[in-house]
Amino acid sequence: MEKMEIDKKNNNKCEELFWKVIRNKYLFNYIFQVLETMPIEFDSVGKYYIGNRIKFKHIKNLDWMVNHHQWELLRDKLISNQYICINIEMISPFLMKCKDESILELMFEKKITELRQTNIIDICINSANEISRNFFLSKLEKNPHLLKTSLPIYQSTIKNSISNSTPKIFESLVKIQPILDESLKESCIQYALYNNSHKIEMIKSVKKYLEII
């Protein structure tokens, strides 16, 4: 019992000291200056490179954050409206790898101009990332007006879904965008025959759709 009391007092003193240091601007800044200059030791010479010292505030490329799985850093930069360099080549890997709906939402809200450089729906259809695909399709179902602005569904995307994806995805697309041009209507079955993974199911789905329209 006496040992527990001593441990409790020590913990309280440590916490009190911690907050004194944190609230002291000089000590706080000094600690970070020391951390920035401390040597980093690796078990292999090949792991030493100047990028090990990069500060979070200097990380601006979307592809770096995606490739290094720095999703929390990306979230923080989006929330705080920090500059993020987004090239068209970076968007597809982001849509294919991001599995956090809150980050997808932030990107949609704050970086839709950059995302629209690509065919968002087509990338999501081709991706194995169900989270991003369902996120954007759900956006369209709830906000059909986005078809004419941020999230168009092109005829090529529907054609692609018939040839390469599942009947469920095809049905989701034509539910949102039910109008097909005549050439696509005439070729639907032919494209379904190219679907090696879901050929029979896709043919049935396409036939059912053609009967309805």
Side-chain angles (χ1 to χ4, degrees):
M1 190 70 179
E2 184 179 346
K3 184 178 182 302
M4 289 178 62
E5 288 295 326
I6 293 173
D7 289 342
K8 186 177 179 181
K9 287 180 181 178
N10 288 336
N11 288 336
N12 289 337
K13 286 181 180 179
C14 287
E15 184 174 354
E16 183 180 348
L17 181 60
F18 169 81
W19 286 112
K20 281 183 178 180
V21 172
I22 291 298
R23 287 167 181 158
N24 185 306
K25 289 185 178 181
Y26 173 80
L27 288 176
F28 184 82
N29 291 330
Y30 179 73
I31 289 170
F32 276 89
Q33 286 175 9
V34 171
L35 289 174
E36 288 173 6
T37 56
M38 283 177 63
I40 302 176
E41 296 184 3
F42 296 98
D43 56 7
S44 170
V45 176
K47 293 181 180 179
Y48 285 90
Y49 79 110
I50 194 168
N52 288 328
R53 280 295 185 190
I54 188 169
K55 297 179 181 179
F56 281 175
K57 67 180 180 180
H58 294 149
I59 297 172
K60 296 178 171 64
N61 288 330
L62 177 64
D63 61 339
W64 190 96
M65 289 181 272
V66 171
N67 291 334
H68 290 82
H69 306 288
Q70 292 296 319
W71 302 112
E72 290 305 316
L73 176 60
L74 175 58
R75 186 204 311 278
D76 178 71
K77 287 183 176 291
L78 288 166
I79 291 173
S80 57
N81 293 315
Q82 295 181 48
Y83 172 73
I84 300 173
C85 176
I86 303 175
N87 292 332
I88 191 169
E89 296 83 5
M90 304 175 188
I91 297 171
S92 182
F94 165 74
L95 294 173
M96 295 172 72
K97 293 180 181 180
C98 181
K99 296 186 177 182
D100 188 313
E101 284 194 13
S102 63
I103 294 176
L104 289 167
E105 183 69 51
L106 285 166
M107 284 289 283
F108 185 80
E109 289 177 4
K110 302 194 175 196
K111 301 296 179 182
I112 188 59
T113 301
E114 289 86 344
L115 292 181
R116 285 177 60 188
Q117 296 178 83
T118 63
N119 186 338
I120 298 172
I121 300 299
D122 202 57
I123 292 171
C124 291
I125 295 304
N126 289 323
S127 170
N129 185 353
E130 292 185 9
I131 293 173
S132 67
R133 182 171 66 234
N134 293 339
F135 172 81
F136 286 106
L137 289 178
S138 176
K139 277 281 183 190
L140 278 171
E141 288 177 2
K142 295 174 183 176
N143 307 280
H145 67 276
L146 292 175
L147 276 169
K148 297 181 179 180
T149 55
S150 306
L151 296 171
I153 296 178
Y154 299 107
Q155 298 291 295
S156 59
T157 301
I158 297 176
K159 171 187 169 183
N160 185 30
S161 74
I162 297 171
S163 301
N164 300 302
S165 63
T166 65
K168 182 179 178 181
I169 292 173
F170 165 71
E171 289 161 11
S172 296
L173 291 175
V174 294
K175 179 182 177 182
I176 299 167
Q177 175 63 289
I179 301 174
L180 303 186
D181 62 34
E182 289 303 318
S183 62
L184 184 52
K185 288 179 187 177
E186 294 171 2
S187 306
C188 276
I189 300 298
Q190 181 182 344
Y191 293 132
L193 289 170
Y194 297 146
N195 193 320
N196 294 323
S197 300
H198 307 280
K199 185 180 297 181
I200 303 302
E201 298 92 335
M202 186 60 77
I203 290 172
K204 290 179 181 178
S205 181
V206 168
K207 282 185 174 179
K208 183 179 178 181
Y209 171 73
L210 292 174
E211 288 171 2
I212 295 173
I213 61 172

